[in-house]
Amino acid sequence: MKHPVVLVGVGEMGGVFARGLLKLGHPVFPVLRGASLVTAATQLPEPQLVLIAVGEADLAATLAAVPPQWRRRLGLLQNELLPSDWADCPDPTVISVWFEKKPGRDHKVIIPSPVYGPQADLLADALATLAIPTHCLSSAEELVFELVLKNLFILTTNIAGLRTGGTVETLWSRHRAFAEQVGHEVIDLQEAMTGHRFDRDALFAALGIAFAGDPEHACMGRSAPARLARALRNGEAHGLDLPVLHTIAAEQTRGTP
C-alpha cells in the first residue's frame, strides 16, 4: 500500500484532490471541520502529505493548529496565498489552482496549475489521473510569481467586476483600461506584501492568457466584496493609498455603479 495522505477540509476542491490521490493508490484520511489536528496527528504521525484544503478565510487558524510533526509535510492550495501565509511551516508543497469545481459539476480547467515543493510530483500525478494539467516549477521565485499572477486574476476580476459585472472576456475587451488600473493597484499590493518587484508586462501578458483559457468566466463571485475589503485592509497595513480600489468601495457603499 502506498503512503497515506491526510486531507484537512473536505469541500469541493479537496474532493478533487482526494479522487486523484485515491486513483494513484494512496489512502486518504479526512480531517473534518471541528476535529482535532493534534488527535489526528497522534493517530497518523507520518503521512506523505497533509493537504490543507480549507478556504482562505480559515487558513490562518488551521495552520496555527497544525501539530509539530505535520509542519514539514504540508500542502497548500488556497486562493490569495503568499509566502507570509506559511512563515511558520517550512517548505510546504504549494499549488496555484487554475481549475474550478462547483457543486454538482465536474471540474473545469482554465490553464495548467503550477506546483512547487517536496510533494509537487505527487500532486501533479494525482491531478493527471483526472486529466487536470499541471507543471512543476523549479524555484521558489517562480512560485511567488505564479501566486501573484493568480492573485492578480482573482482580485482584478472580482474587484473590477463589482463595477462592470459580466465575464472576463467582456472585462478585457471592453473595459481593459479600467481593468489595468485595478490590476496595477493589485500588483502594488502584492509587491508590498511580498517585498518583491514584479515584471508587470509579464504579469498582464499571463493574465490575458488566463482570460483566454475561460473567456466566459464570471468576473464577480460571492466573495468579491470581502476580497475588496481585505485588499483595502492589507493596503492600509502597508501604507498604500489604492485610490481606484477606494473609489470602487465608495460606489458599493452608495449602491451605485
Side-chain angles (χ1 to χ4, degrees):
M1 183 178 289
K2 293 185 178 181
H3 294 294
V5 172
V6 172
L7 179 65
V8 181
V10 191
E12 293 291 328
M13 193 60 67
V16 174
F17 283 87
R19 271 179 62 202
L21 290 161
L22 288 168
K23 285 170 74 74
L24 282 182
H26 289 270
V28 176
F29 293 85
V31 179
L32 303 181
R33 181 181 292 273
S36 168
L37 298 187
V38 173
T39 299
T42 62
Q43 298 169 344
L44 196 67
E46 296 185 348
Q48 184 166 346
L49 178 70
V50 178
L51 185 59
I52 307 295
V54 302
E56 54 260 38
D58 296 321
L59 179 61
T62 301
L63 290 181
V66 171
Q69 61 266 48
W70 279 1
R71 286 192 170 267
R72 292 187 176 273
R73 302 172 183 270
L74 295 184
L76 303 175
L77 52 77
Q78 288 70 25
N79 288 326
E80 297 189 56
L81 269 180
L82 289 174
S84 56
D85 293 313
W86 65 78
D88 296 328
C89 301
D91 205 19
T93 299
V94 180
I95 182 166
S96 179
V97 172
W98 282 97
F99 60 89
E100 281 190 320
K101 177 64 177 74
K102 301 293 186 182
R105 304 179 191 173
D106 202 2
H107 57 264
K108 181 179 182 180
V109 173
I110 300 175
I111 58 174
S113 297
V115 57
Y116 178 76
Q119 299 298 325
D121 287 341
L122 173 63
L123 292 185
D125 290 345
L127 293 177
T129 69
L130 306 175
I132 297 175
T134 61
H135 64 98
C136 292
L137 304 173
S138 59
S139 71
E141 290 74 19
E142 289 182 10
L143 174 63
V144 174
F145 180 91
E146 294 291 346
L147 293 176
V148 168
L149 171 60
K150 182 66 182 297
N151 293 344
L152 178 64
F153 178 92
I154 294 168
L155 293 174
T156 299
T157 57
N158 274 217
I159 294 171
L162 288 167
R163 179 185 289 180
T164 66
T167 66
V168 299
E169 192 279 331
T170 300
L171 178 67
W172 209 230
S173 63
R174 300 184 187 177
H175 309 285
R176 182 160 180 166
F178 171 60
E180 289 182 347
Q181 284 183 316
V182 173
H184 277 294
E185 290 195 358
V186 170
I187 298 171
D188 289 342
L189 181 58
Q190 299 296 297
E191 290 183 340
M193 294 177 71
T194 61
H196 292 272
R197 298 297 297 271
F198 298 100
D199 182 336
R200 297 188 179 217
D201 290 340
L203 281 171
F204 279 113
L207 183 64
I209 292 171
F211 286 166
D214 183 15
E216 296 305 309
H217 189 94
C219 284
M220 189 185 67
R222 290 175 299 173
S223 300
R227 293 192 196 282
L228 173 56
R230 186 160 52 245
L232 290 173
R233 288 196 302 271
N234 288 332
E236 183 177 358
H238 288 85
L240 298 178
D241 186 18
L242 307 179
V244 177
L245 269 60
H246 277 288
T247 298
I248 297 169
E251 292 171 356
Q252 297 302 302
T253 300
R254 294 194 303 268
T256 56

